[in-house]
Amino acid sequence: MRKIAVIGMGYVGLVTAAGFADLGNRVVGVDIVEEKIAQLREGKLPIYEPGLEEMVCRNMQAGRLSFTTSYAEALDGAEFAFIAVGTPPGANGEADLRYVEAAARSIAENMRNPLIVVNKSTVPVGTGDWVTQVIKKYQKEPIPFAVVSCPEFLREGSALYDFMHPHRIVLGSSDREAAEKVAQLHLPLRAPIMITDIRTAEMIKYASNAFLATKISFINEIANICEALGADVKEVAVGMGYDPRIGPHFLEAGLGFGGSCFPKDVQALAYAARVMGRHPQLLEAVLEINQDRRRMAVERVREMLGGSLRNHVVGLLGLAFKPNTDDMREAPSIDIARYLLEEGAHVRAYDPIAMENARRILPEIEYFPDPYSLAEGADALIVVTEWNEFKHLDLKRIKALMRRPVIYDGRNIYDPQTMFDLGFIYRGVGRGYPPPADPRPPGLTMEEPAALG
Ligand code: UGA
C-alpha cells in the first residue's frame, strides 16, 4: 500500500484524498485548520459534493483515509505529498501563492524520507520551479525530493466522477522518473497520460480553463446578436456542435461563468501576460463579456416590466453558480441581486441548497422555502441556476401565483413557445425574441429584392 499525503482539505484536496484512498492507497489528509480536521474525523464534510461524504466515510472505516493537522505525521513514510491548497486571486487578478508557499515550507521542515511533491493547485506558470527552491531553502537536511505538476480538471458537482474518469492526466517535471511514479498512481484510471515539462503542464491547465471560458463568452456574444435578429441561440449551438472541430460542449448561453475557477484563472493568465509585456486582448474580452451578462439580465427584466424596477418584486430561482453545488463564489446571482436592489426592486430568492451560504453574502434579500412561495405575488422571476427541479415546475400554478407573469430565463431551461402558450411574458438568453420589425437583413438598403440574372 502506497502512502500519500494530501495537503489542503478544500475541494480539490478532499476529492483527491478520497479518490486515491478509494483506489486502495493509504491517504492522510492534512489541513492547518483544526476545526476542519476535527469535523472530518467525525465524517462531516466542509463542502457539499454529491457522493463525497459517503466515499470519505467508507474509506475512513476501511482504514485507508485519515486526517491530521500534523505534517510530520502525514509525511512519515509517505511516498507522495499532493499540494491542493487554495490560490485565491490577489488585488490585480494575480494568484495569491501564500498558502502554496506555507505548504512547501511545512513539507520541507517535516519530511524525513525521499518524497515526490505533486502540485494539484492551479498555480501560475513557474510555481513548480519556485516550490523546488522554497523546499530546498527550508529543508533541515538535504533529503532528495522531486516536484511534479499534476493539474486537476475536475468540475464541482461531478467531482468524483471526473476524478475516476479523467479525459487525461497531465504531468510535468524535470525529473522523468518522479513523473513516471506519479503516472503509475493514476494507471487504474485508464486515462491517457501526458508527461511534459513543468511549465508546460502548468500552462495546460490555464489554457484549458481559458479556452472553455472563451467558448462560453463566444456563445453569449452570439446570443446577444441572436436577440437582435430574432434567431434562437440554443438551436444555433446545436447546429454548430455537430461539427467535430467545434463540438457541442460549453456552448450554453446564459448568465455567464462563475465559480472559483474560470473567473480567477482567466484573470490570472491575463495578469501574467500583462506582466510579461503581452497584451491578452482575447482574455480581456472574455472577462468583459462575462461581466456584462449580469448587467444585461437586469436590463432585460427592467424592459419586460415596462422600464422600471422600482418597487417591483423580483424572485431569483437559484443562487449557486451552477447546479448540484452550494458554492456561491463569483455566482452571477450576487451581482444580479445587487443591481436589482440598486434599482429599487424587492429581491427574494430560493435555492435548493445554497441559501445558507447566500445569506452570508446577500443578507439584504428575502429567502423562500420553495419555488411556489417565491412566485407568490412576484412581478418577475429570473432563472439564475438551472437546477433540475426548476425544469419540472408546475408552470400553470406558478403563473397563477405571480402578480405579473414575467419570466426571464437566464439559463434557457424553458421552451419559448410553451411559455408564450401558457401566457407568460417570457425571454430567454438569445431566444424567445421577435424578429426585428424591418424584415430585411441589417444594412440592406435596396427597396426591392434584386432581380436574378
Ligand atoms: C471548471 C472546469 O470545467 C474544470 O475542468 C476545472 O477543473 C475547474 O473549473 C477548475 O479549474 O478547478 P467548475 O468551475 O466546477 O469547473 O464548473 P463548470 O461546470 O466548468 O462551470 C463553470 C461555469 O461556466 C458555471 O458558472 C457554468 O454555469 C458556466 N457555463 C458552463 C456556462 O455558462 N455555459 C456552458 O456552456 C458551460
Side-chain angles (χ1 to χ4, degrees):
M1 226 190 219
R2 292 193 185 95
K3 183 174 172 189
I4 301 173
V6 179
I7 295 147
M9 287 294 99
Y11 212 89
V12 170
L14 255 176
V15 173
T16 305
F20 277 125
D22 216 52
L23 291 174
N25 302 286
R26 165 89 187 89
V27 182
V28 184
V30 192
D31 204 291
I32 49 167
V33 181
E34 279 177 28
E35 202 188 313
K36 208 186 248 187
I37 293 299
Q39 282 194 342
L40 282 167
R41 282 180 172 157
E42 287 172 23
K44 288 191 203 130
L45 268 53
I47 50 155
Y48 172 78
E49 176 66 28
L52 187 57
E53 194 166 295
E54 187 273 325
M55 193 188 263
V56 166
C57 292
R58 183 158 39 80
N59 282 284
M60 278 168 72
Q61 274 155 19
R64 289 189 297 262
L65 181 58
S66 58
F67 301 98
T68 178
T69 50
S70 158
Y71 274 79
E73 185 188 323
L75 294 177
D76 183 29
E79 211 180 318
F80 304 93
F82 281 77
I83 301 182
V85 295
T87 50
N92 303 311
E94 80 280 15
D96 178 345
L97 291 176
R98 81 179 81 162
Y99 302 113
V100 176
E101 184 176 22
R105 180 177 179 167
S106 300
I107 290 173
E109 289 171 348
N110 290 285
M111 64 189 278
R112 297 284 173 271
N113 47 270
L115 191 67
I116 298 175
V117 178
V118 189
N119 191 26
K120 274 239 158 261
S121 305
T122 301
V123 289
V125 177
T127 303
D129 290 337
W130 171 72
V131 162
T132 307
Q133 287 170 13
V134 174
I135 296 178
K136 276 193 184 143
K137 182 172 156 195
Y138 290 107
Q139 265 188 331
K140 289 175 192 150
E141 40 184 322
I143 303 168
F145 70 95
V147 176
V148 178
S149 160
C150 175
E152 183 52 70
F153 299 103
L154 55 81
R155 291 162 301 175
E156 288 193 33
S158 54
L160 289 182
Y161 180 87
D162 290 347
F163 181 89
M164 290 298 175
H165 305 90
H167 293 119
R168 78 297 209 186
I169 302 295
V170 173
L171 301 172
S173 185
S174 53
D175 183 331
R176 179 90 197 180
E177 208 183 310
E180 275 167 10
K181 284 192 179 150
V182 182
Q184 293 223 330
L185 265 187
H186 291 89
L187 282 185
L189 301 175
R190 298 171 178 274
I193 297 178
M194 172 182 178
I195 298 184
T196 180
D197 65 85
I198 198 158
R199 284 172 183 258
T200 304
E202 290 166 344
M203 189 63 179
I204 287 171
K205 168 70 192 203
Y206 276 105
S208 300
N209 272 4
F211 185 76
L212 293 170
T214 304
K215 273 188 109 173
I216 299 170
S217 280
F218 174 84
I219 200 67
N220 282 331
E221 178 145 306
I222 296 295
N224 280 349
I225 307 173
C226 284
E227 288 175 9
L229 297 176
D232 182 327
V233 76
K234 206 160 171 158
E235 301 278 307
V236 170
V238 171
M240 288 168 65
Y242 284 119
D243 185 332
R245 293 171 301 175
I246 298 172
H249 307 292
F250 274 71
L251 287 179
E252 270 166 48
L255 301 174
F257 54 82
S260 63
C261 305
F262 287 171
K264 173 182 82 142
D265 293 352
V266 180
Q267 272 170 31
L269 188 57
Y271 173 82
R274 280 195 299 273
V275 168
M276 300 311 288
R278 308 293 156 131
H279 181 188
Q281 281 167 280
L282 182 59
L283 300 181
E284 279 165 3
V286 167
L287 291 168
E288 195 183 316
I289 292 169
N290 198 53
Q291 195 53 40
D292 280 354
R293 304 311 299 160
R294 301 155 185 216
R295 173 91 49 198
M296 221 172 281
V298 175
E299 266 170 38
R300 293 286 173 274
V301 178
R302 192 198 308 120
E303 281 160 19
M304 291 164 85
L305 286 173
S308 167
L309 288 160
R310 185 150 301 280
N311 291 328
H312 282 111
V313 177
V314 181
L316 307 182
L317 278 166
L319 290 160
F321 86 97
K322 67 172 191 177
N324 301 323
T325 174
D326 63 352
D327 198 336
M328 285 293 295
R329 284 177 289 180
E330 302 280 335
S333 60
I334 303 171
D335 283 340
I336 291 174
R338 287 187 181 146
Y339 294 149
L340 289 167
L341 290 169
E342 273 168 25
E343 295 200 30
H346 301 292
V347 185
R348 43 165 83 168
Y350 163 73
D351 187 286
I353 58 171
M355 288 201 282
E356 208 181 302
N357 286 342
R359 265 181 227 274
R360 283 192 284 272
I361 305 167
L362 291 168
E364 59 278 61
I365 70 171
E366 243 187 302
Y367 294 87
F368 283 74
D370 61 80
Y372 299 101
S373 53
L374 180 84
E376 200 171 344
D379 295 299
L381 292 179
I382 307 180
V383 180
V384 182
T385 316
E386 64 277 35
W387 283 98
N388 268 339
E389 68 170 82
F390 300 157
K391 297 177 185 164
H392 306 291
L393 290 181
D394 179 347
L395 289 165
K396 274 194 188 143
R397 187 173 158 207
I398 292 279
K399 180 165 174 280
L401 287 166
M402 291 178 77
R403 192 154 63 181
R404 295 173 69 179
V406 172
I407 293 199
Y408 180 69
D409 182 357
R411 297 291 179 181
N412 287 341
I413 62 173
Y414 301 124
D415 170 54
Q417 194 54 52
T418 311
M419 297 305 275
F420 297 142
D421 292 347
L422 283 167
F424 280 104
I425 300 168
Y426 172 88
R427 293 277 185 267
V429 174
R431 70 200 300 241
Y433 289 75
D438 182 346
R440 292 173 301 175
L444 192 70
T445 49
M446 283 177 290
E447 290 300 327
E448 297 293 329
L452 293 175

